[in-house]
């Protein structure tokens, strides 16, 4: 889930977070849309072809927005959160907290909350990790009497919790850097919103005709 990209020996490695399940689901849905839409364009009547074009114009950006687009990229100075319809750039100094309860969220100093779509929380995975940690805590340590006690293994953590731990560590390291100062910047993804709106309007008109 994490892919570090080292930019220079003097900087901390950038980290990128995406949901593998969302990527796979998005590719499958886009392939299905291409198959159904392509069949309608090849074999359908004129009205059916127009419906197919409008449907693809609406569905493809929407599926892409919720599956392929979400990304969290963390660097030495800032956290970039790419959600379905917005991209939020947060200098580390502006980040107040990061939490993962039912969803992964980042909070700014003024209390604004942004969801981290690309780091989904799996309650099932978290319960499994908690059970494993509880069993490990009750298991006696085995060690060689000549070498001393074996080092304790770190307790298992769910994927979202590990990701949030890494992000908190990056925030602690970078919050005081000169390049990490500033305020959040939010940009709307008009390249996703505009085609969806046009496709939805076209579908409504074609269905009403």
């Amino acid at each position: 889930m994490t892919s570090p990209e080292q930019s220079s020996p003097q900087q901390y490695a950038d980290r990128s977070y995406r949901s593998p399940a969302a990527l796979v689901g998005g590719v499958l849905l886009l392939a299905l849309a291409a198959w159904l839409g392509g069949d309608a364009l090849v074999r359908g009547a004129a009205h059916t072809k127009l419906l197919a074009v409008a449907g693809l114009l609406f569905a493809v950006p929407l599926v892409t927005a919720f599956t392929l687009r979400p990304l969290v990229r963390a660097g030495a100075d800032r956290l970039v959160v790419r959600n379905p319809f917005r991209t939020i750039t947060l200098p580390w100094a502006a980040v107040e907290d990061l939490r993962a309860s039912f969803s992964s969220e980042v909070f700014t100093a003024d209390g604004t909350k942004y969801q981290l779509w690309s780091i989904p929380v799996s309650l099932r995975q978290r319960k499994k990790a908690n059970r494993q940690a509880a069993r490990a805590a009750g298991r006696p340590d085995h060690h060689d009497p000549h070498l001393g006690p074996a080092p304790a293994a770190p307790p298992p953590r769910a994927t979202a919790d590990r990701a949030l731990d890494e992000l908190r560590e990056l925030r602690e390291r970078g919050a005081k850097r000169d390049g990490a100062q500033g305020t959040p910047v939010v940009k709307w993804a008009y390249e996703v919103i505009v085609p969806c709106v046009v496709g939805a309007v076209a579908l409504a008109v074609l269905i009403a005709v």
Side-chain angles (χ1 to χ4, degrees):
M1 188 174 183
T2 308
S3 57
E5 301 171 2
Q6 189 73 38
S7 54
S8 76
Q10 303 302 321
Q11 295 179 342
Y12 296 111
D14 288 351
R15 292 183 173 93
S16 297
Y17 301 86
R18 307 191 79 159
S19 169
L23 293 175
V24 172
V27 170
L28 293 176
L29 287 173
L30 290 176
L32 179 62
W35 176 51
L36 295 175
D39 184 70
L41 288 173
V42 171
R43 302 183 182 184
H47 189 263
T48 303
K49 291 180 179 180
L50 289 175
L51 280 172
V53 171
L56 289 172
L57 190 61
F58 170 71
V60 170
L62 197 64
V63 170
T64 302
F66 282 94
T67 59
L68 306 184
R69 177 178 160 80
L71 169 71
V72 168
R73 181 176 290 115
D77 293 332
R78 60 186 54 83
L79 178 71
V80 178
V81 181
R82 198 169 72 192
N83 284 341
F85 302 114
R86 295 189 298 180
T87 298
I88 305 102
T89 302
L90 300 165
W92 284 123
V95 175
E96 182 70 20
D97 195 12
L98 292 129
R99 303 175 196 168
S101 51
F102 295 103
S103 62
S104 299
E105 300 162 340
V106 57
F107 294 81
T108 62
D110 62 1
T112 305
K113 176 179 71 175
Y114 300 103
Q115 188 172 350
L116 308 179
W117 280 79
S118 69
I119 309 178
V121 173
S122 171
L123 297 181
R124 180 179 179 182
Q125 190 181 75
R126 180 178 287 168
K127 289 179 181 178
K128 180 180 178 181
N130 290 340
R131 287 196 300 268
Q132 292 175 345
R135 286 198 298 267
R139 188 181 304 134
D141 293 332
H142 299 283
H143 61 275
D144 188 321
H146 301 289
L147 300 177
R157 301 273 284 165
T159 301
D161 295 328
R162 290 201 308 269
L164 269 290
D165 288 344
E166 293 175 1
L167 293 177
R168 292 188 192 101
E169 182 181 355
L170 285 172
R171 172 185 169 272
E172 292 175 1
R173 290 176 178 177
K176 298 186 182 301
R177 292 168 55 92
D178 291 339
Q181 309 305 308
T183 57
V185 176
V186 178
K187 294 182 179 180
W188 289 93
Y190 292 106
E191 68 277 9
V192 173
I193 297 171
V194 172
C196 284
V197 172
V198 172
V201 172
L203 275 176
V205 171
L206 290 169
I207 292 173
V209 170

